[in-house]
Structures are given as C-alpha cells and as structure tokens.
Amino acid sequence: MSIANLARRVVRALTPYQSARRIGGQGHVWLNANEAPLAYPFTIEGSRLNRYPECQPAEVVNSYAAYAGVNPDQVLVSRGADEAIELLIRTFCDAGEDQILICPPTYGMYAISAETCGVGIVELPLTASRQPDWPAIADRLSDVKLVFLCSPNNPTGDLVGRKGLIALLEKARERAIVVVDEAYIEFCPESSVVDLLAQYPNLVVTRTLSKAFALAGIRCGFTLGDPEVIAMLAKVIAPYPIPEPIAQIAAQALSPMGLSLMQERVQELNKQKALIKAELIRLACVKEVFEDKGNFVLVRFNDGASVFAAMKAAGIILRDFSTKPGLDNSIRITIGYQGEMDAVIKVLRDLSLNTPSASNQTAASI
Ligand SMILES: *Cc1c(COP(=O)(O)O)cnc(C)c1O
C-alpha cells in the first residue's frame, strides 16, 4: 500500500491549481500569470524580526481601508487573495454539506479551494454575452452559501453587470454571501462595487497587491466586507498570517508614493493594452479579441496551438485556455512593457503573413 493512500479521498483525486510557476516553461518574456512587468522598489528594516508579527498589521489595514474607501474594521489582510478565498469557504461552508456557486470560465482557485475543503460546487456557466446567468443563480440561492463572481473576470476580461449584481444581492439577503473578486480592479477603478458594501452586508470584495501593485512575490491580499463578516474570518485565519517584512513592503506600496507609482504603472499598462489590441484586431491569425478590463487580453486565434508553439519558440510564455469550455483556440496574454508587447506582435505578424485567413482578406492578400 502506498503511503499516499492515507491522504483524504478528495486530495488523492485532486488536480492541483496549474499555477504559472507550476507549469513552468522556458523563455525570457513572461506573460502567463498577469504579473506586473517590473518590480516595485522597497526597503526592509530588520530590528523587529525576533518578534511575532501582528496578526493584522495596523498600518497595512488602515492604509488599505483609506485607499479602498472603507473603515478599518471592514478590512482583513491575508496571504494573497487566494487565502481570502479559502478563508471564506472555511468560515461559511461545512464540509460534506454546503456548496459554493461559480460561473465558469473563471478563476480556478474557487473550485480548487472548495474541493480541498470538501465543499460542493454548483457550476453555472457565463451566458453567451459572458455575464453571470442571473436567473439561474437566483434559482440556486437556497442551495449555496457563497457565490463567487470575478470582475474583471479572469480570463475573459469582462465586468460583472452592476444591475444584475444589485438584484442578486437583494435576493441573497440573509441567504448567501456574494463574493466579488476585484483582483484587477485598479485597471478600471470606476467599476468597483465597494460602494455597495454600505447597503449589503452579504457582499464581500476580495483584492490583491499581486497585479497592479506589482507585488505577486509578497503574497498579500485583502477582503473587504461587513465588520461582522470580517470578524468571523479573523477567527479562522492563522495567528500570524502576514510576515513582518511583508507588512513593511505592503505599507510602502500603500503609501501616497506607492499609490502614485501604482497609478502610473496602470496608466502605462492600459496604454500598452490599447496599442496591442488595435494591432490584434487587424491580424489575419486572430479570430476574436475578448473584453480587456484587466492587465491581460484573451484572444481567440484561428489556430491557437500554432500561435502558442510559435510564441514558445520565440521565448514568449503565454497562458493557454483552449481546453476550457467555450474558449477553444484562446490564449491569454498578460500586458507587459512595450518591448514585450512588440515581441508578441512580431511573432503574430509573421504568423499572419504565413497563414492567410479567409476571415481577413486584406491581411491575407498582403
Ligand atoms: C491573481 C488572482 C488572484 C490571486 O491573488 P493573490 O493575491 O496573488 O493570491 C485572485 N483572483 C483572481 C481573479 C486572480 O486573477
């Protein structure tokens, strides 16, 4: 008997999250994990490292609350937004009894965290217009504790419609918690739903420093919610979830200087996004460019596999979504700095010249 047979049945059967680092790859242009292209500058001071850190570092909590426009008692800081997702499930769902609801294609960790916690999953795919299927979700509200929505959605880039969300929050009052994952909201801050927290204690918003703040390496995320919800999560979180050096870096990133660097970065990446999108829609090998509210753009190619292979040969690592329902031939490209985007476009131009497409006569005839 293998010692692995001692593990829980769900863990033995589990396919772990295929994180960018787990998949690996070889190349010099990394556009597969929606990271920022350049590192954030910081300093660390080591005189307190003999002490356990604060469970919820006050400076980080207070600055994030001010930045997000909520009170400090509406903020929980965690080891990335991924830990926030798992904490929500562990706090609100009983193993073998409760379920969460997700709308695929969407971020993979909602399902994986539910599985590792022994919690069921109700899947209601996005509609043809890539919105949550509001009537279908409303029908299942008595079966689920948590509804996970992602806005902008990873990987499709769409925002969740505000009207539909408000109607759902009304229907879900005192029945279910609606989590809106705003990992990419800095790229379209006007679309945040944080203002709805004041009216809906069953709304929870998750955020991260991993994307626009260029700090994926420190693993720091946030949950924004009703003080009662935050207090529940704080009972479940580990005693010292945020290492002292991480708290120091996060506080610097959330200082006025850090925030203005973040906003400059967002402006530059949004500019690069507009440029590459304008190129993409003209290329013969491109079939469809999806919505682009985050720091990435999902593209459906005529032949996704050949694009992925050509990129790989050029040392450019992208993320393939072609096996996901409704996303055949689709590849997600993280927006990087100009040199990286130029490298992507060069590969695609060469491909378009070599493989004329019936759908784009102009390009095909060049
Ligand atoms: C990247 C990402 C996360 C994870 O954020 P971390 O803070 O790095 O754990 C959560 N949700 C979505 C939609 C993401 O794309």
Side-chain angles (χ1 to χ4, degrees), residues 17 33-35 78-85 106-110 149-155 181-184 206-211 215-222 295-296 332:
Y17 182 66
N34 295 346
E35 298 149 330
S78 57
R79 183 176 26 85
D82 282 349
E83 185 180 33
I85 294 163
T106 191
Y107 185 53
M109 281 306 292
Y110 315 133
L149 303 175
C150 189
S151 184
N153 187 41
N154 178 6
D181 183 341
E182 293 192 338
Y184 300 96
T206 55
R207 299 274 192 87
T208 179
L209 298 187
S210 295
K211 311 288 165 45
L215 286 171
I218 71 167
R219 314 302 303 122
C220 188
F222 297 88
N295 66 339
F296 56 89
R332 194 190 66 194

Side-chain angles (χ1 to χ4, degrees), residues 89-226:
I89 293 173
R90 286 169 55 211
T91 302
F92 289 99
C93 299
D94 269 317
E97 218 168 281
D98 292 324
Q99 307 194 87
I100 67 161
L101 191 155
I102 61 172
C103 306
T106 191
Y107 185 53
M109 281 306 292
Y110 315 133
I112 289 187
S113 286
E115 280 178 49
T116 56
C117 293
V119 166
I121 303 162
V122 174
E123 290 192 30
L124 295 175
L126 294 176
T127 63
S129 53
R130 293 196 298 270
Q131 278 296 301
D133 189 340
W134 301 117
I137 297 174
D139 278 351
R140 299 301 300 270
L141 277 179
S142 35
D143 304 336
V144 301
K145 282 280 190 72
L146 296 166
V147 175
F148 282 96
L149 303 175
C150 189
S151 184
N153 187 41
N154 178 6
T156 62
D158 301 275
L159 291 169
V160 165
R162 191 175 166 94
K163 263 197 195 155
L165 174 67
I166 290 173
L168 180 68
L169 286 165
E170 288 289 352
K171 289 187 182 123
R173 265 187 201 278
E174 288 165 30
R175 291 168 75 185
I177 288 182
V178 179
V179 182
V180 179
D181 183 341
E182 293 192 338
Y184 300 96
I185 203 65
E186 286 81 10
F187 296 94
C188 52
E190 67 287 351
S191 303
S192 174
V193 299
V194 155
D195 62 296
L196 297 176
L197 287 173
Q199 295 156 65
Y200 297 102
N202 58 334
L203 172 64
V204 165
V205 175
T206 55
R207 299 274 192 87
T208 179
L209 298 187
S210 295
K211 311 288 165 45
F213 284 90
L215 286 171
I218 71 167
R219 314 302 303 122
C220 188
F222 297 88
T223 307
L224 310 176
D226 187 86

